[in-house]
Amino acid sequence: MKIRMEWVYKTPKGAEMVFRSDEMPAAQALMLAEDMDRIGRTKSLVFLDSYDSSWTIKELKKYLKGIETEPHNIIVYFDGGFDRETRSSGLGCVIYYEQSGKSYRLRRNAPAAGLMSNNEAEYAALHLCLQELELLGAHHIPVLFIGDSQVVINHLSEEWPVVEKDLFNWADRIESKIKDLGIQPEYELVPRKANSEADRLATQALNGIEIIATSEVVGES
């Protein structure tokens, strides 16, 4: 979860000034707030999340303590591939997350039939990621979804309207699942080369190579 800080700084002579920070990870904000509190010249300090809900230091500590043993700091990469000749699809999903003080990478792919376009395959890949998040037990937490599909990213971030019926149905399924899990989604569009891991998994699924693996990521946060 990203947090902004707002506080009043009071000088030894009693002058006061309001400060506001940029967004930062919640754990970093808490560390800074505790350090500022020790100085003794800060008052009325609050944290604001992306929904402008306010948190006290005590509330933020409780939140961070509560998610330690659950998946958090989740970043999801997704990609879908579609073969026009065979009318088959491959779905790729990569999930980076932290849990119990360790970092993990989950890789998952799957073949898919019955899809009619690459755009549908992209949506299906994102839906596969949501199913994996549900299996992980991720819920009521911010999640960053990264993909190279302008259609999917711009549809779900409401930059573009969804016109095609098939894609509308996929978008509806995805938004319903996100709501059920209580996920607070963020979407990021990247070039294809920045999504190579999920792209490779989708291609492997098209070629009949199925991968399901979770590994610890050492030396990365």
Side-chain angles (χ1 to χ4, degrees):
M1 178 169 65
K2 293 290 185 69
I3 287 287
R4 289 176 289 115
M5 297 169 58
E6 289 191 4
W7 69 97
V8 176
Y9 178 81
K10 186 175 181 179
T11 69
K13 294 184 178 181
E16 296 183 354
M17 181 173 290
V18 177
F19 288 91
R20 297 178 179 86
S21 75
D22 294 330
E23 279 193 339
M24 66 185 78
Q28 180 183 350
L30 180 60
M31 179 183 68
L32 289 173
E34 290 178 329
D35 187 63
M36 290 161 61
D37 190 53
R38 284 192 289 269
I39 296 174
R41 294 180 185 170
T42 302
K43 68 176 187 178
S44 304
L45 189 150
V46 296
F47 304 97
L48 297 172
D49 61 24
S50 56
Y51 296 91
D52 284 332
S53 297
S54 62
W55 302 63
T56 64
I57 289 181
K58 183 178 180 180
E59 289 169 338
L60 194 59
K61 279 183 177 179
K62 183 177 180 181
Y63 167 79
L64 291 172
K65 183 67 176 177
I67 67 170
E68 279 182 1
T69 58
E70 297 181 357
H72 57 281
N73 291 344
I74 300 172
I75 300 176
V76 173
Y77 292 83
F78 69 94
D79 195 49
F82 180 72
D83 189 318
R84 293 183 180 180
E85 292 185 6
T86 62
R87 313 296 289 181
S88 58
S89 302
L91 317 178
C93 166
V94 184
I95 301 175
Y96 288 89
Y97 64 98
E98 296 177 20
Q99 187 171 13
S100 299
K102 295 182 179 181
S103 299
Y104 296 94
R105 179 186 65 171
L106 181 154
R107 293 184 300 144
R108 171 84 160 93
N109 69 359
L115 306 181
M116 302 303 293
S117 68
N118 190 73
N119 287 333
E120 272 201 89
E122 294 278 7
Y123 267 110
L126 180 51
H127 191 264
L128 174 67
C129 293
L130 289 170
Q131 291 175 315
E132 291 301 315
L133 288 176
E134 185 172 23
L135 291 173
L136 276 177
H139 63 93
H140 298 90
I141 198 166
V143 176
L144 175 60
F145 295 96
I146 298 176
D148 56 47
S149 169
Q150 291 190 47
V151 170
V152 173
I153 297 296
N154 286 321
H155 279 176
L156 294 177
S157 60
E158 300 183 349
E159 294 292 330
W160 294 355
V162 184
V163 178
E164 299 90 339
K165 182 179 178 181
D166 290 339
L167 300 187
F168 180 86
N169 290 337
W170 274 110
D172 189 57
R173 287 176 65 186
I174 286 169
E175 288 174 348
S176 178
K177 176 64 74 174
I178 285 174
K179 183 178 179 180
D180 289 344
L181 295 176
I183 285 173
Q184 302 153 30
E186 294 181 51
Y187 300 101
E188 182 178 338
L189 179 65
V190 297
R192 187 173 183 179
K193 64 181 181 181
N195 197 31
S196 59
E197 197 169 16
D199 175 71
R200 184 164 56 252
L201 285 167
T203 301
Q204 289 171 322
L206 273 171
N207 293 328
I209 303 170
E210 192 168 354
I211 295 174
I212 304 175
T214 299
S215 57
E216 184 178 350
V217 179
V218 180
E220 296 185 23
S221 57

